[in-house]
Amino acid sequence: MEYLRNQKICPALFNLLSSASDSGKKTLSQNFLHDTSIRDKILEAVSPSPEKSILEIGPGLGKMTEPLSKMCQLTAVEKDRRLIAHLSHLPIKLLNQDILTISLEGSFYDTIVSNIPYNITSPLLRKLQNEKQSFAKAILMVQKEVAEALSSPYAKRAFFAEMQLSFSIRLLFIVPKTAFRPIPKVDSAVIELIPRKKTYAQNVFSLVQTLFRHPRKMIGSTLKKYSLELGSLQSLEKKRPSEVPTEELASKLDSYDRRVHTAKLGKKKCSR
């Protein structure tokens, strides 16, 4: 509660947030960044300037929002209506909406920045993948484990592989859990996502999903189950999909001469 008390927020908001914290309310996964040095490192990664248009997702108590409002053309999307009044004095475009329900099409942002609530990490990343033409880069705070999986040359699951095919991803720095209030259970990390210029065909994503549907099986065995010949994937026959660097896997899949239409992959069931 001491952290909230020091944020110069109105008494009504303090009481609401204090009550939610005391009761263990986690519906919006609210862990507020309070470490100024971490905030400054994120600002450096965002690299704001007066001519840049920046979108902040989930500004919370405005730790990042206030300095950004003086440096760029800022739009902030905050789902929690309790926080809107606290941010309304800033010279920004402030939307009290759920980012997952907003279309970014028709807009373009130089940078998207967010301390992503843990409970919407996957759907938000998927949204950014689907609308990657709407921004030049994203600076995101996610769980450390997720950041490491996303930035690894190898993918553990189809989801991570698909993100790696869509973005160039770098892990910028680790953020200890003590940088937040209330303190979460795990450390976080800040990553940079830059949309890739190369666009893979949908068949490549379908094949990635097929291979990772059986992550412990060799690639050759999985293809055989779907009546697909190895073709140009001969060199990967005895490897699992997670053992092949994602970019190498995508490159080979991109040139793979398949004899079965992509749609069949999602429909045909194979025995375990």
Side-chain angles (χ1 to χ4, degrees):
M1 291 313 94
E2 190 61 31
Y3 171 68
L4 291 176
R5 194 171 286 111
N6 292 334
Q7 296 308 298
K8 299 179 180 179
I9 60 181
C10 70
L13 177 58
F14 174 82
N15 290 336
L16 279 169
L17 294 177
S18 298
S19 175
S21 179
D22 290 342
S23 64
K25 183 178 180 181
K26 290 293 183 180
T27 55
L28 298 181
S29 295
Q30 290 164 311
N31 297 96
F32 301 112
L33 179 67
H34 84 103
D35 189 320
T36 303
S37 65
I38 297 296
R39 191 254 338 249
D40 291 345
K41 290 178 72 173
I42 296 174
L43 286 172
E44 183 178 356
V46 171
S47 186
S49 58
E51 71 279 4
K52 287 184 178 179
S53 177
I54 293 177
L55 172 66
E56 183 181 14
I57 300 171
L61 294 175
K63 191 80 171 181
M64 190 81 57
T65 317
E66 189 158 357
L68 278 176
S69 69
K70 303 172 184 176
M71 301 176 181
C72 65
Q73 302 169 43
L74 182 63
T75 298
V77 179
E78 175 56 60
K79 181 179 180 180
D80 194 337
R81 59 180 177 77
R82 300 172 300 179
L83 298 170
I84 293 298
H86 177 64
L87 301 168
S88 60
H89 69 285
L90 296 174
I92 64 175
K93 182 178 180 180
L94 182 60
L95 303 176
N96 182 199
Q97 291 181 265
D98 182 348
I99 187 61
L100 297 179
T101 67
I102 296 175
S103 173
L104 300 182
E105 293 185 9
S107 301
F108 183 82
Y109 299 98
D110 294 285
T111 306
I112 292 177
V113 58
S114 179
N115 170 21
I116 302 181
Y118 293 161
N119 63 344
I120 67 164
T121 299
S122 293
L124 181 55
L125 287 174
R126 185 69 77 187
K127 176 182 177 62
L128 295 181
Q129 178 196 25
N130 293 335
E131 300 183 280
K132 64 178 185 176
Q133 74 284 352
S134 299
F135 60 96
K137 75 174 180 180
I139 303 297
L140 308 174
M141 183 114 65
V142 297
Q143 287 184 344
K144 178 185 174 184
E145 182 180 11
V146 173
E148 291 173 339
L150 286 167
S151 59
S152 171
Y154 302 83
K156 295 180 179 180
R157 296 191 282 113
F159 174 79
F160 295 122
E162 291 175 53
M163 291 299 114
Q164 292 164 358
L165 296 187
S166 301
F167 300 103
S168 172
I169 305 174
R170 287 196 303 147
L171 194 161
L172 301 182
F173 54 88
I174 304 299
V175 180
K177 58 186 177 182
T178 52
F180 299 91
R181 293 295 183 272
I183 299 176
K185 295 180 180 180
V186 297
D187 291 331
S188 296
V190 173
I191 57 174
E192 176 190 69
L193 274 63
I194 296 179
R196 292 189 183 277
K197 293 182 179 179
K198 179 176 179 57
T199 301
Y200 290 99
Q202 184 56 44
N203 66 319
V204 173
F205 288 93
S206 296
L207 281 166
V208 165
Q209 292 168 3
T210 298
L211 295 178
F212 277 96
R213 197 173 295 153
H214 310 281
R216 300 183 65 83
K217 292 184 179 295
M218 302 300 176
I219 289 174
S221 297
T222 299
L223 292 177
K224 184 178 180 180
K225 284 182 176 292
Y226 287 89
S227 301
L228 297 173
E229 295 183 5
L230 277 169
S232 60
L233 300 181
Q234 189 77 38
S235 62
L236 305 182
E237 180 181 9
K238 300 298 183 181
K239 293 184 178 181
R240 297 180 176 89
S242 60
E243 296 173 338
V244 184
T246 303
E247 288 195 36
E248 178 186 343
L249 182 63
S251 178
K252 290 184 179 296
L253 292 177
D254 199 33
S255 59
Y256 181 49
D257 181 21
R258 297 173 296 111
R259 294 187 178 183
V260 180
H261 192 273
T262 302
K264 186 177 180 180
L265 298 176
K267 296 178 180 179
K268 187 168 184 177
K269 296 181 180 179
C270 60
S271 58
R272 293 179 180 273

